[in-house]
Amino acid sequence: MSLAIPSGSTALLGPSGSGKSTLLRLLNRLADPDQGTVRFHGTDVRELDPLALRRRVGLVPQLPAPVAGTAADNVCFGPRLHGEQVDPEQALRLAGLDPSFAERDASRLSVGEQQRVMLARALALEPEVLLLDEPTAALDEDTKEAVEATLASLPAVSLVLVTHERAQAERLADRIIRLEGGRVTA
């Protein structure tokens, strides 16, 4: 695949197994390519420290993976690795959760709530790029709209959104790329 993703918001559409989630994993070095090169601002990502890259390129996975502890512990996880402090309640608010969630055990939250905690965790790092793998798949319609409004209001952050929902792609993205079988088809 040969693909350039400019600043702004880009949606990746395609059937299951087309390579959308794999592409996100390559973009923030959760995986490295078997061949070829993935570049971030012109630099091969393999030349960048993975933690430093992940601070600049945050990933919100499709399946939430909270660390042990409270929602606030999860939001503060990344900044703490960098010796920084963050207001977890502000990040939770941005992700569509009431600040009262801060002290709740993350493992006891619903999947939709955990998904929003993962979004808050990524936002707390103030990344340049936010990689979103089906970020609203487990959310009810009202919460989905609130999360989409949050994402649309992040002008300083470029978005790469994986979604199966063309309407969502059209609402959130400046451009839509269709993948099939690991190839760009449109």
Side-chain angles (χ1 to χ4, degrees), residues 9-28:
S9 55
T10 300
L12 303 174
L13 288 175
S16 295
S18 63
K20 302 177 304 292
S21 296
T22 299
L23 180 56
L24 292 187
R25 292 174 52 80
L26 291 169
L27 292 173
N28 103 327

Side-chain angles (χ1 to χ4, degrees), residues 23-184:
L23 180 56
L24 292 187
R25 292 174 52 80
L26 291 169
L27 292 173
N28 103 327
R29 280 205 73 194
L30 285 176
D32 284 329
D34 293 332
Q35 56 183 283
T37 306
V38 176
R39 296 186 182 280
F40 180 64
H41 293 300
T43 302
D44 186 330
V45 295
R46 292 173 290 199
E47 296 174 16
L48 300 171
D49 174 68
L51 288 180
L53 176 65
R54 291 178 194 142
R55 178 174 174 76
R56 297 174 67 194
V57 181
L59 174 66
V60 179
Q62 181 177 9
L63 299 174
V67 296
T70 65
D73 293 333
N74 276 270
V75 172
C76 295
F77 180 75
R80 199 175 291 133
L81 290 175
H82 297 281
E84 297 173 6
Q85 293 185 4
V86 66
D87 177 5
E89 292 181 1
Q90 174 62 22
L92 290 168
R93 225 181 267 109
L94 273 175
L97 286 174
D98 187 272
S100 66
F101 276 80
E103 295 312 313
R104 294 190 189 179
D105 182 339
S107 67
R108 294 182 180 256
L109 299 175
S110 72
V111 172
E113 291 165 343
Q114 287 181 359
Q115 204 168 28
R116 286 178 279 165
V117 169
M118 297 298 95
L119 176 57
R121 184 166 78 185
L123 291 172
L125 289 170
E126 299 179 348
E128 295 171 42
V129 179
L130 197 53
L131 308 173
L132 303 153
D133 196 353
E134 298 283 351
T136 61
L139 304 180
D140 61 68
E141 204 58 39
D142 289 341
T143 306
K144 178 171 137 179
E145 287 176 13
V147 169
E148 284 185 5
T150 294
L151 296 173
S153 72
L154 300 171
V157 178
S158 289
L159 302 177
V160 180
L161 167 74
V162 165
T163 182
H164 287 97
E165 197 179 325
R166 181 156 189 95
Q168 182 178 59
E170 290 171 351
R171 286 190 302 272
L172 292 175
D174 300 326
R175 71 202 64 71
I176 299 171
I177 297 170
R178 181 152 181 84
L179 298 179
E180 291 185 39
R183 302 205 185 286
V184 175

